[in-house]
Amino acid sequence: MNGSGNRAATLVLLVALIVIWEIAGQLQLVAGGTLPAPSAILARIFVDRADYWPHVLATLRTSAAGFVIGNAIAILAAICFCVWPFSERLMRGVNIAIFAVPPIALVPVLVIALDGEVARITLAALLVYFPTMTATLSGLNDIDPRTADLISAYGGGRFRALRMVRLRAAVPAMMSGFQVAAPAAVLGAILAEFGSGARWGLGTYLLGSLGRAEPDRLWGIGVTATAIAGVGYGLAALVARMTTGVNRAVTMAPEPPQAGDAEHRMRSIAMTIAAIAFPFLVWQALLVISQLSPIIAKTPLGVVDYLFFSNASAVAQQKLLAALAETIPITIGGMFLGLAIAFVLALIAFAAPTIMNALLPFALITQTMPLVALTPLAVLIFGRGVAVTLVITVSVTFFAAFVVLAQGFALIPRAAFDLVDAYGANTVKKLWLVAIPASRNWLFVAARLAMPKALLGVMIAEWLATGRGLGNLLNQSRGYLDYGMIWTVALVSVLVAVALYQLTYAVDRMTRPR
Amino acid sequence: MNLNFNRRHFLKTATAGAALAFTPQLARKAFAASPLTMQAAWINDAEFCGYFTAMAEGDYESAGLDLTYLPGGPDVIPESSIISGKADLALTTPDTTIKAIVDQGAPFKIIGAQYQKNPIGIVSLAKAPINSPEELKGKTLAVPPVNVMSVEAMLKLNGVDAAEVNIVPYAYDPTPLIKGEIDASLDFTTNVPYTIEQQGEKAVSFLLYDFGYKTYNDTVVVTEDVLANKRPELVAWLKASRAGWNENFVDPAVWPPKFADTWFKGTGRTIENEIFFNTAQKPLMEHPDGIFAMDEAGVAANVETLNSIGIKATPDMFDTSLLAEIQA
């Protein structure tokens, strides 16, 4: 293959896409001119350039701090979970809760409990934690078991295996985590700036600009945010590329044997109970430490009381059930759609990296452009029904799943292709016979990332565009200072996400080849 | 009610102490003045111009206050800031504040009202005007979810069935209105018509207030605890803030440009927009008894309106005694 030729092809395709966008913008083809032309966006950034610096610096500082802190904690946690697998089981509920709790429920609480900048960095770090932790853990665990066998045959313990094999093998996966984490950190910083009354930051600038009905300004802010995230993404991708080749196994390892389920059933049930109870203990403990007023801060028992034993219970239950009935079906639909699109994109990245490299900047925009800025465009094109909900859900789910799947395809041992190559297989055959079966584990990792995000996407769409379901209920209860309902919706959305997450484990186990 | 202010208070004092070490010229003043923190309802715009003017004029300092100003935002619930002790007083919407008093037993008192007439209203395009609740029938109206209850109440007061209006969420951006995707939106009538005119359209609007939904807005709210312990400071704040607003309204076009490089720098909005806003809000704030006034008729109208939507407001939630002190 000719590397510089590929790069030229990518460039041509990228330019072609931008030209199409330019024409669509100039001729006001999309939603009556709501999609501005790239040239108009750049011109507007130039006009506004004096405004940008303090905002960009503030967002850079917040997102960089969140990126570093969130990733450091994520990597340490992944190492703990790998060395002591019981700790992963114990923390699973906490981990998913962190990932699944909707920022629209979280930010008001962070803003009350923490001071300004600390609240903003915390949100960025929280959004970074889960993708990096999951990716790193799967990298640490997904080693060629023969290498670990070698270490133990020579008398090495699990720490030696960690140091000599697992950490090295985990670098590409860790980098794929960073690739998701970079836009997540930027988005976290911007969301927190947007909501928290920060004086500076792209989120603040966005909020002030929203009321102007000037899409070129909003897109300018989005493109700037994407550029910041793109630097982080690009660095992680570079390291991933440099390390993937070194670490790729030459031949495929047999499936590791599964632990016998029966003998550990009792312990397994105990672990599950502990995993469920642990987040509630953490929740209770955080409230005790933060010393918030009981009016604002509901404890687990407070939520139970609100939902079942207070005089508001009947109304609250009715509202909640009605909202869930609207939200859950579309969440499941959105999850599958998001995963399917991620899979197709990952296949494109594998079979035709030229095309994917050109598409990537556009994919990145969807991750860092706050959805509130895209809502007018989305409702003008897709209306305010199921279509807009699915589009928004896909836009928040596909990226993390795509990065994980693409990394999975890239890690397929080279020798695995030799046989089919020898029989003259074309790219499609290669995909069908080798790449797709080999990516099975990665598909479940991707599904685990997509599940809670799908719920989040649906809630955001309900909050911004359709005015229905759980997202709307949350937003209304925020407005009415109905703290009981705010905590209830946050809890229920986490529980739903955890249930969906566990479902992927169950499906994974049931469909695992024997 | 057990509110824990201690940790915050300690942190704030510690931070203030650290800041003072670097700003010796401020030290003398700060030790003499009483600290007071206010939580605004939104980001820096003309809605809060009077407070910026009072700060620029040194009104708080001469009243013996060392004022800290916290801007608001979509995720800042002003009432939460005073419950958590982050701020001493907050600018709120009276319906949420009173709902919190009734439903959650929150220990709040309303001690003043910035807007005599709530500026929220129904905004539509002049080429497809909607001038009354009746004309909303069969139309699509974008409303921020927190205001849905107010809009439904206003419709009911005017004999319009809420089911006949298609209510969708409003997310701060007037583009869908300008493009005709929605027919009208609920917004500050002091603000969004300017934007619409900048985009080459004319806007028409009516206030919910003028159709029976008679509430204040940006009510000045404190906890009972702060009211008991910081009464002199609160009275001083009302007095200084009133002076700032009076000065600001002498000519609404004068003060916003002066804040172009401070309060309004880089907010994403324009100074012309702030002047429009400042001018439009003047008649909604002025009262014969002065800015923040809460006369008997006004309180009664608020109570009646809120009762009509099932929020059990009572006149004793409004404490007019501090205003009486500055009147004297």
Side-chain angles (χ1 to χ4, degrees):
Chain A
M1 265 203 223
N2 181 345
S4 65
N6 275 344
R7 225 166 294 150
T10 298
L11 201 64
V12 168
L13 192 60
L14 188 62
V15 169
L17 286 170
I18 291 174
V19 167
I20 293 171
W21 180 2
E22 179 71 30
I23 292 169
Q26 292 286 352
L27 299 180
Q28 311 211 329
L29 296 179
V30 181
T34 306
L35 179 68
S39 63
I41 297 169
L42 291 178
R44 187 59 192 259
I45 292 177
F46 185 76
V47 170
D48 294 333
R49 63 193 182 282
D51 279 353
Y52 269 98
W53 286 116
H55 294 307
V56 167
L57 287 177
T59 299
L60 262 180
R61 204 175 45 231
T62 305
S63 48
F67 185 81
V68 169
I69 294 170
N71 280 328
I73 295 173
I75 292 168
L76 285 178
I79 291 173
C80 287
F81 297 158
C82 174
V83 177
W84 299 287
F86 77 91
S87 64
E88 192 271 333
R89 292 290 300 276
L90 190 63
M91 286 292 286
R92 194 176 286 171
V94 175
N95 284 335
I96 309 164
I98 290 173
F99 187 57
V101 65
I104 48 175
L106 193 59
V107 179
V109 177
L110 286 179
V111 166
I112 296 164
L114 303 167
D115 283 308
E117 181 74 3
V118 181
R120 294 188 276 278
I121 292 173
T122 304
L123 185 71
L126 282 173
L127 296 194
V128 159
Y129 167 80
F130 191 84
T132 298
M133 188 277 293
T134 320
T136 307
L137 183 60
S138 83
L140 289 170
N141 284 334
D142 198 20
I143 54 163
D144 188 335
R146 293 165 298 183
T147 51
D149 290 346
L150 188 70
I151 303 272
S152 76
Y154 279 94
R158 60 173 109 169
F159 287 99
R160 179 150 299 186
L162 179 75
R163 195 157 50 82
M164 300 186 73
V165 178
R166 291 183 190 275
L167 278 177
R168 254 180 250 192
V171 171
M174 202 186 288
M175 288 305 132
S176 80
F178 282 11
Q179 280 167 271
V180 180
V186 175
L187 186 64
I190 290 178
L191 285 180
E193 288 157 359
F194 184 89
S196 70
R199 183 64 182 89
W200 299 106
L202 288 171
T204 308
Y205 195 42
L206 175 68
L207 178 60
S209 302
L210 267 183
R212 300 178 57 137
E214 289 170 353
D216 52 353
R217 161 74 67 79
L218 303 185
W219 279 83
I221 296 170
V223 166
T224 308
T226 305
I228 296 174
V231 172
Y233 179 94
L235 286 175
L238 200 68
V239 179
R241 190 171 312 162
M242 290 188 317
T243 52
T244 302
V246 180
N247 286 285
R248 189 142 58 153
V250 175
T251 62
M252 229 163 189
E255 274 294 310
Q258 294 304 305
D261 281 347
E263 58 192 290
H264 294 123
R265 183 145 301 160
M266 283 307 288
R267 198 197 293 175
S268 169
I269 292 170
M271 271 327 280
T272 305
I273 293 170
I276 293 169
F278 203 59
F280 293 96
L281 290 176
V282 172
W283 172 0
Q284 183 87 40
L286 285 177
L287 290 189
V288 170
I289 295 166
S290 69
Q291 301 194 341
L292 287 172
S293 155
I295 293 179
I296 299 177
K298 300 288 179 212
T299 59
L301 283 178
V303 170
V304 171
D305 180 56
Y306 170 83
L307 205 51
F308 296 104
F309 304 109
S310 74
N311 41 19
S313 296
V315 180
Q317 286 178 16
Q318 189 196 348
K319 281 188 187 170
L320 192 64
L321 289 176
L324 281 172
E326 297 220 33
T327 301
I328 289 181
I330 202 162
T331 300
I332 294 170
M335 198 282 301
F336 279 112
L337 196 59
L339 210 52
I341 290 173
F343 194 76
V344 170
L345 284 179
L347 287 182
I348 294 175
F350 178 77
T354 313
I355 298 176
M356 197 55 231
N357 287 341
L359 290 178
L360 203 59
F362 301 95
L364 214 51
I365 285 184
T366 65
Q367 297 311 294
T368 43
M369 185 91 172
L371 283 164
V372 68
L374 286 177
T375 304
L377 183 66
V379 298
L380 283 165
I381 300 174
F382 301 104
R384 292 178 189 267
V386 175
V388 79
T389 309
L390 285 176
V391 167
I392 290 178
T393 306
V394 166
S395 83
V396 301
T397 46
F398 84 93
F399 189 75
F402 156 71
V403 172
V404 167
L405 285 172
Q407 191 64 33
F409 286 150
L411 279 173
I412 294 166
R414 281 159 288 183
F417 293 110
D418 289 349
L419 182 69
V420 283
D421 267 340
Y423 281 95
N426 59 18
T427 310
V428 176
K429 269 263 167 56
K430 272 198 243 179
L431 283 172
W432 186 248
L433 291 172
V434 180
I436 291 176
S439 70
R440 192 190 162 284
N441 286 339
W442 294 88
L443 192 62
F444 280 98
V445 175
R448 258 162 246 155
L449 285 173
M451 272 293 189
K453 283 282 175 205
L455 179 64
L456 195 62
V458 172
M459 287 176 69
I460 291 172
E462 289 171 338
W463 164 48
L464 290 173
T466 67
R468 317 179 69 89
L470 213 52
N472 194 56
L473 183 61
L474 177 58
N475 205 18
Q476 263 184 13
S477 35
R478 277 175 20 148
Y480 299 153
L481 304 187
D482 188 350
Y483 292 103
M485 187 55 99
I486 296 175
W487 286 89
T488 301
V489 173
L491 173 65
V492 166
S493 58
V494 170
L495 289 178
V496 169
V498 171
L500 296 172
Y501 187 92
Q502 289 296 0
L503 200 66
T504 65
Y505 270 107
V507 174
D508 188 0
R509 212 168 305 136
M510 281 186 307
T511 60
R512 181 165 284 158
R514 308 229 164 227
Chain B
M1 184 49 49
N2 175 27
L3 297 172
N4 285 297
F5 295 135
N6 298 341
R7 188 184 62 98
R8 289 235 167 264
H9 212 262
F10 168 75
L11 282 176
K12 204 180 287 170
T13 318
T15 323
L20 285 177
F22 295 101
T23 51
Q25 75 277 17
L26 286 176
R28 190 167 31 88
K29 192 175 64 194
F31 280 118
S34 316
L36 193 77
T37 303
M38 70 173 284
Q39 173 67 62
W42 198 245
I43 53 170
N44 298 348
D45 62 19
E47 188 178 345
F48 313 104
C49 206
Y51 309 107
F52 304 148
T53 307
M55 282 185 256
E57 292 275 275
D59 292 331
Y60 296 113
E61 283 163 40
S62 16
L65 293 178
D66 175 20
L67 183 72
T68 304
Y69 178 94
L70 303 176
D75 290 325
V76 178
I77 304 169
E79 287 92 338
S80 301
S81 291
I82 55 173
I83 297 182
S84 68
K86 205 167 228 181
D88 298 304
L89 68 89
L91 302 175
T92 75
T93 48
D95 37 0
T96 58
T97 301
I98 290 175
K99 206 170 171 354
I101 299 176
V102 177
D103 293 353
Q104 333 259 346
F108 297 147
K109 285 282 183 212
I110 298 171
I111 62 166
Q114 181 182 320
Y115 288 107
Q116 298 296 321
K117 289 185 175 188
N118 194 336
I120 60 171
I122 306 291
V123 182
S124 55
L125 300 182
K127 63 182 182 192
I130 293 171
N131 289 310
S132 71
E134 186 67 24
E135 291 169 37
L136 279 168
K137 282 183 183 172
K139 296 290 195 321
T140 298
L141 170 68
V143 182
V146 345
N147 297 113
V148 168
M149 212 165 66
S150 314
V151 169
E152 289 180 348
M154 183 273 297
L155 292 172
K156 195 175 149 209
L157 286 169
N158 291 278
V160 177
D161 184 359
E164 288 186 74
V165 182
N166 178 26
I167 295 178
V168 298
Y170 180 61
Y172 320 113
D173 187 335
T175 302
L177 176 63
I178 295 167
K179 299 288 179 194
E181 193 259 334
I182 55 172
D183 302 303
S185 65
L186 183 90
D187 207 322
F188 266 44
T189 54
T190 44
N191 186 30
V192 79
Y194 173 84
T195 308
I196 292 170
E197 276 158 38
Q198 289 299 297
Q199 299 299 318
E201 293 283 351
K202 278 261 174 288
V204 295
S205 65
F206 65 86
L207 293 174
L208 299 194
Y209 189 95
D210 290 335
F211 284 86
Y213 193 79
K214 295 192 186 305
T215 60
Y216 295 141
N217 203 355
D218 282 350
T219 32
V220 183
V221 175
V222 296
T223 59
E224 284 167 1
D225 196 50
V226 168
L227 185 57
N229 295 318
K230 291 198 168 182
R231 190 180 175 93
E233 287 89 338
L234 295 173
V235 172
W237 182 88
L238 283 168
K239 194 171 179 182
S241 301
R242 178 180 282 180
W245 279 113
N246 287 339
E247 166 62 27
N248 170 57
F249 281 145
V250 169
D251 179 352
V254 166
W255 282 94
K258 296 189 184 184
F259 303 132
D261 283 323
T262 53
W263 296 102
F264 296 148
K265 184 179 168 63
T267 58
R269 299 164 53 84
T270 62
I271 295 301
E272 293 70 35
N273 192 349
E274 307 304 358
I275 293 173
F276 178 95
F277 195 149
N278 204 23
T279 310
Q281 70 185 350
K282 187 179 173 186
L284 304 179
M285 284 178 58
E286 286 182 331
H287 187 281
D289 297 341
I291 304 288
F292 298 120
M294 299 192 296
D295 62 19
E296 228 168 278
V299 170
N302 271 272
V303 169
E304 195 190 332
T305 302
L306 294 177
N307 282 333
S308 76
I309 56 170
I311 300 177
K312 296 188 178 58
T314 53
D316 66 306
M317 294 168 180
F318 301 80
D319 183 344
T320 56
S321 65
L322 291 87
L323 288 165
E325 278 185 47
I326 60 170
Q327 222 69 318

